[in-house]
Amino acid sequence: MKQFINQMEEEMAAAFEKAGYDPSLGKVTVSNRPDLCEYQCNGAMAAAKKYHKAPFVIANDVAAALQGSRVFGEVTVVNPGFINLKADADFLRDYLVEMSADEHLSVEQSKEPETIIIDYGGANVAKPLHVGHLRSAVIGESIKRILRSQGHHVIGDVHLGDWGLQMGLIITELKKRSPELVYFDPDYQGEYPKEAPFTISELEEIYPCASGRSKQDPAYKEEAMQATYELQNGNRGYYALWEHILAVSVADLRKNYGNLNVEFDLWKKESDAQPYIPDMVEYLKNNGYAHTDQGALVVDVKEENDTKEIPPCMILKSDGSSLYNTTDLATLVMRRELYDPDEVIYVVDKRQELYFTQVFRCARKTKIVRDDTKLKFLGFGTMNGKDGKPFKTREGGVMRLEHLIADIGEEMYCKITENHETDPEEAKQTARLVALSALKYGDLSNQASKDYIFDVEKFTSFEGNTGPYILYTIVRIKSILAKYREQTEENSEIEEKIGLFRTDSEKDLQLLLARYGSSIEGAAAELAPHKICAYIYELANAFNHFYHETKILAEPDPVRKAELIALIDLTREVLERSIDLLGFSAPERM
Ligand code: ARG
């Protein structure tokens, strides 16, 4: 379906042409003076240069050509040549009626859908999920849903870190604690036990302990590095242990991501790319892309116009072992072979930006990716506490994600049960949904690349620019709709059509609803969920303003009443689809 603003632009372009000017000058934008008009066109200013005429004259020519327009209800020319616009009421109403009937609710579907892989989540096996991983999961999930809503084939891949030193550390620590385990017997030939020799809570205690020790004790670290090397080079017992670590850890990660409403299509890991490394290294060598530098195999990636130094991309260390780089490049080889993506988007901490610049340049230069494959780095900032430092627990430790979610859930539960009596089970469910909205909206409403302050009190408030406020608005609409259905038992389906606006607040609400499609498209083009947040906050405010000024259920004229009901039902639909794109949903009551 063609966007509201694009239809306006077409009308404007036709008017420019009719008046004898270049139609491409007829750009229409949302007004930055909403007190004067709803939309505006500044094309006469640009036309003035081109045609050596006063902009005011040109604007008047265009306005004359717009006489009787079905799109614009009011066209006003103001000095020095701005064209101020108001939408025609029928055009607006017709657009909303068409939008309500459209299965995509006016979001245009891509004519050439792309295969897009989103690399997000990125948790490390055997390390508890902490708030640092929250952003990648929350932002990536939203980007995935937004691109999917445009009809693209989007594949979400968690790309777990499972191949690095953390594995060697855990194995080393386990060996110290239980040297008798069969995994450490070099002569053992039989099958290894099916049951892991540790639980997830033990595993989570082992890793920080081992990591702490390795920092104190160089010999311990040396051992861990050796264990990592052996794991990667065919030590059977270590490999069997690694499989246990993976299974226990992934089960826990699935639960945690599930609680966050984050779903991955692929649960691939760094280790899945390992089989692609040997051929890739051969290829890089044989084609002269890689050369040896102080024993290491590297690919130069600096470019002429670089203003800062971009170091070479290291493919193999001098001891022949592979690195984070190697895995990411081999993962691109694997992805091309298995999915042939048109685009790969990495949602990773922005501190890894330089690293990804190297990887992307290397992949392009060496033609590991197709020439037309887009590689994008969506770097996010740090989540800080109120003190402006990286978010910690009250005791100063690293906050575990599940504790954070539980804390917010409890706070929400108290708020919900404090006001009215509710069934405890339902209250718990509701608290979960509202808590998730607080957490996700609190994150997504900020531009991803910026650091932000995680302020639980602010995020959980039912007022202001928060997730709970948006849910509250949706629930308010749902309750009006439910009452309306009760009043009109015989036709319980709401199928009446939106009417012409009669008040300013109704018009404002209608105009905002008409902007839904272009808001989503803008968010998709810029990979910017915060644009959806800004849009729904404005929409929720417009709805609440309208609601306070308008009798809906008490409206005596049944036709008008049905029209109002259709309008708020569309508002609900737009809000619900929007929050689904952000990755959360609304309860029936709260
Ligand atoms: N596991 C990594 C980390 O915790 C993030 C992975 C990001 N994705 C990638 N393809 N490198 O830093």
Side-chain angles (χ1 to χ4, degrees):
M1 185 175 159
K2 195 162 279 162
Q3 293 310 320
F4 191 65
I5 192 163
N6 296 348
Q7 294 193 37
M8 288 190 160
E9 210 154 83
E10 269 177 19
E11 182 85 352
M12 187 55 81
F16 268 78
E17 185 151 46
K18 192 169 156 202
Y21 304 104
D22 179 354
S24 73
L25 295 166
K27 290 261 171 305
V28 175
T29 52
V30 175
S31 162
N32 50 20
R33 285 291 302 275
D35 52 323
L36 295 181
C37 58
E38 298 151 6
Y39 289 86
Q40 65 188 62
C41 171
N42 305 342
M45 254 60 78
K49 290 195 195 84
K50 192 164 169 179
Y51 297 96
H52 307 290
K53 249 189 194 178
F56 198 78
V57 174
I58 299 174
N60 269 315
D61 291 347
V62 174
L66 283 171
Q67 278 292 322
S69 159
R70 92 190 155 89
V71 171
F72 299 113
E74 213 179 288
V75 180
T76 326
V77 175
V78 295
N79 261 323
F82 295 114
I83 307 173
N84 288 349
L85 304 162
K86 287 189 180 171
D88 175 78
D90 285 275
F91 171 65
L92 179 56
R93 189 263 323 267
D94 293 348
Y95 181 85
L96 294 180
V97 169
E98 191 188 343
M99 170 175 163
S100 309
D102 178 39
E103 75 173 296
H104 302 291
L105 212 64
S106 82
V107 175
E108 256 179 277
Q109 299 299 291
S110 165
K111 292 192 184 58
E112 289 166 25
E114 297 194 328
T115 297
I116 304 171
I117 295 185
I118 307 195
D119 181 312
Y120 71 111
N124 297 312
V125 162
K127 296 192 197 172
L129 262 189
H130 60 78
V131 294
H133 290 113
L134 180 67
R135 298 212 72 191
S136 180
V138 169
I139 298 167
E141 179 71 18
S142 177
I143 300 288
K144 183 184 78 181
R145 293 174 182 220
I146 293 170
L147 294 175
R148 237 174 226 172
S149 80
Q150 297 193 303
H152 294 295
H153 174 48
V154 190
I155 307 171
D157 181 4
V158 65
H159 195 75
L160 295 177
D162 70 335
W163 206 232
L165 182 62
Q166 84 257 31
M167 296 297 158
L169 283 167
I170 293 171
I171 293 173
T172 302
E173 182 60 27
L174 270 174
K175 193 170 177 179
K176 302 261 179 244
R177 295 184 184 190
S178 320
E180 72 289 352
L181 286 175
V182 59
Y183 306 93
F184 303 118
D185 175 357
D187 300 324
Y188 184 73
Q189 297 289 333
E191 263 187 42
Y192 290 104
K194 294 249 165 330
E195 199 68 14
F198 40 71
T199 63
I200 182 69
S201 1
E202 284 162 344
L203 201 54
E204 287 179 349
E205 180 267 323
I206 292 172
Y207 173 73
C209 168
S211 155
R213 281 182 78 173
S214 78
K215 286 188 188 114
Q216 307 278 320
D217 179 355
Y220 187 97
K221 180 159 187 199
E222 191 53 44
E223 247 180 272
M225 279 160 69
Q226 179 61 24
T228 312
Y229 179 84
E230 284 182 32
L231 165 70
Q232 296 180 356
N233 289 279
N235 180 319
R236 274 184 75 236
Y238 289 3
Y239 193 81
L241 265 182
W242 170 81
E243 286 185 305
H244 285 312
I245 299 172
L246 202 63
V248 169
S249 185
V250 168
D252 188 60
L253 285 171
R254 280 186 191 272
K255 191 185 78 200
N256 272 301
Y257 281 127
N259 284 339
L260 273 177
N261 245 2
V262 169
E263 295 153 17
F264 299 99
D265 305 288
L266 302 177
W267 281 79
K268 295 244 180 234
K269 317 171 287 300
E270 288 177 353
S271 61
D272 289 314
Q274 302 309 307
Y276 294 84
I277 291 178
D279 284 353
M280 179 181 84
V281 168
E282 276 314 293
Y283 164 83
L284 294 177
K285 280 189 193 157
N286 294 343
N287 288 282
Y289 291 126
H291 64 92
T292 323
D293 184 1
Q294 297 169 27
L297 190 70
V298 302
V299 174
D300 283 330
V301 293
K302 57 175 191 283
E303 287 171 8
E304 229 164 79
N305 300 326
D306 287 345
T307 48
K308 63 172 186 228
E309 160 123 22
I310 309 286
C313 194
M314 200 188 280
I315 308 295
L316 291 179
K317 285 200 267 193
S318 50
D319 64 2
S321 59
S322 58
L323 311 87
Y324 190 42
N325 283 311
T326 330
T327 301
D328 263 318
L329 289 167
T331 301
L332 279 171
V333 174
M334 172 179 75
R335 285 174 176 163
R336 183 173 181 181
E337 206 163 296
L338 302 180
Y339 312 104
D340 195 24
D342 301 295
E343 182 167 349
V344 186
I345 302 172
Y346 295 81
V347 186
V348 185
D349 192 312
K350 71 176 176 203
R351 285 170 290 193
Q352 294 191 29
E353 180 158 17
L354 173 63
Y355 164 78
F356 277 100
T357 303
Q358 293 174 295
V359 171
F360 291 177
R361 283 187 181 186
C362 182
R364 283 222 175 288
K365 175 175 175 183
T366 63
K367 304 198 179 293
I368 277 177
V369 292
R370 280 195 265 128
D371 282 344
D372 58 352
T373 305
K374 286 172 268 185
L375 298 174
K376 284 195 191 142
F377 176 69
L378 180 61
F380 53 79
T382 309
M383 177 173 144
N384 289 324
K386 271 190 183 167
D387 57 0
K389 300 204 185 93
F391 193 81
K392 293 264 157 60
T393 59
R394 256 176 233 136
E395 295 75 38
V398 178
M399 178 62 115
R400 296 263 303 262
L401 192 54
E402 42 187 318
H403 296 161
L404 182 74
I405 299 174
D407 283 0
I408 301 178
E410 249 157 60
E411 187 151 336
M412 279 335 320
Y413 185 84
C414 293
K415 276 198 186 176
I416 289 165
T417 47
E418 165 184 285
N419 298 335
H420 43 82
E421 267 183 44
T422 21
D423 165 50
E425 239 345 276
E426 187 185 335
K428 240 165 98 186
Q429 276 307 321
T430 306
R432 204 186 78 82
L433 292 179
V434 183
L436 202 58
S437 80
L439 193 76
K440 290 194 165 186
Y441 192 93
D443 188 306
L444 293 171
S445 54
N446 302 286
Q447 197 180 323
S449 61
K450 300 227 164 88
D451 296 349
Y452 79 102
I453 300 212
F454 193 87
D455 182 342
V456 179
E457 255 150 75
K458 186 170 132 197
F459 292 177
T460 55
S461 167
F462 284 63
E463 278 151 44
N465 190 6
T466 69
Y469 169 66
I470 304 291
L471 295 196
Y472 181 76
T473 305
I474 295 174
V475 165
R476 171 177 261 174
I477 301 176
K478 284 186 178 182
S479 117
I480 307 170
L481 294 174
K483 288 202 189 105
Y484 178 74
R485 285 199 184 92
E486 271 167 38
Q487 285 179 355
T488 53
E489 317 101 33
E490 69 280 14
N491 60 334
S492 58
E493 276 313 300
I494 296 164
E495 50 186 77
E496 261 66 39
K497 292 204 162 98
I498 290 167
L500 296 175
F501 61 76
R502 297 198 190 170
T503 63
D504 280 347
S505 66
E506 188 177 358
K507 179 176 78 175
D508 290 345
L509 179 59
Q510 290 197 357
L511 281 168
L512 268 168
L513 288 169
R515 267 168 50 193
Y516 172 67
S518 46
S519 300
I520 302 302
E521 283 166 26
E526 292 172 44
L527 304 181
H530 74 275
K531 298 216 151 171
I532 298 183
C533 294
Y535 168 71
I536 57 176
Y537 180 51
E538 213 182 323
L539 180 61
N541 282 338
F543 169 78
N544 285 313
H545 183 199
F546 162 78
Y547 171 77
H548 285 298
E549 290 198 339
T550 316
K551 285 200 188 75
I552 300 175
L553 291 171
E555 165 61 46
D557 172 8
V559 177
R560 164 83 173 149
K561 184 166 168 179
E563 288 175 351
L564 292 172
I565 288 291
L567 179 64
I568 69 168
D569 193 38
L570 179 62
T571 308
R572 177 202 55 74
E573 185 68 27
V574 165
L575 288 172
E576 288 207 288
R577 292 217 192 182
S578 300
I579 62 172
D580 182 59
L581 297 179
L582 298 174
F584 57 91
S585 57
E588 287 308 303
R589 281 189 289 261
M590 67 193 253

